């Protein structure tokens, strides 16, 4: 069975990132990944980078839907500040 921790581990083992947050609801995952590696990537490439380590569990049917948000550390700090204001 897939867990938030197993998804976090798949991503952190494959990518050099600062933070991985996962919210799991059955076979649906909302994933937020923070890392400097996203600074020079297009939106599509960012999604592909995070999706790659998850391909096996998606193909197996353990994970049905994935929503991915990516941030650089600077963007993440700004996002957290904005969330606190709203």
């Amino acid at each position: 069975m897939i867990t938030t921790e197993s998804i976090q581990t798949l991503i952190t083992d494959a990518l050099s990132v600062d933070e991985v947050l996962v919210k799991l609801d059955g076979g649906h995952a909302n994933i937020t990944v923070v890392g400097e590696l996203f600074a020079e990537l297009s939106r599509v490439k960012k999604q592909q980078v995070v999706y790659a380590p998850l391909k096996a569990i998606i193909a197996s049917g353990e994970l049905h839907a994935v929503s991915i948000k990516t941030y650089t550390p600077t963007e993440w700090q700004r996002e957290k500040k904005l969330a606190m204001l709203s």
Side-chain angles (χ1 to χ4, degrees):
M1 186 169 121
I2 197 74
T3 65
T4 57
E5 293 81 13
S6 60
I7 293 171
Q8 287 171 325
T9 300
L10 284 170
I11 294 169
T12 56
D13 285 355
L15 306 173
S16 177
V17 294
D18 300 339
E19 193 169 354
V20 178
L21 304 171
V22 178
K23 291 182 183 172
L24 196 55
D25 182 16
H28 302 268
N30 290 310
I31 303 169
T32 301
V33 186
V34 181
E36 199 58 49
L37 75 151
F38 299 120
E40 302 298 321
L41 300 178
S42 69
R43 176 178 277 168
V44 170
K45 189 63 178 167
K46 291 175 185 180
Q47 300 289 311
Q48 291 171 336
V49 166
V50 176
Y51 183 83
L54 305 175
K55 281 184 180 179
I57 59 173
I58 292 169
S60 75
E62 288 182 90
L63 195 58
H64 304 287
V66 180
S67 171
I68 299 170
K69 292 184 181 179
T70 60
Y71 300 94
T72 64
T74 302
E75 291 168 339
W76 182 235
Q77 291 304 317
R78 185 177 13 188
E79 182 71 19
K80 290 195 299 188
K81 286 179 186 174
L82 290 174
M84 289 172 46
L85 295 174
S86 58

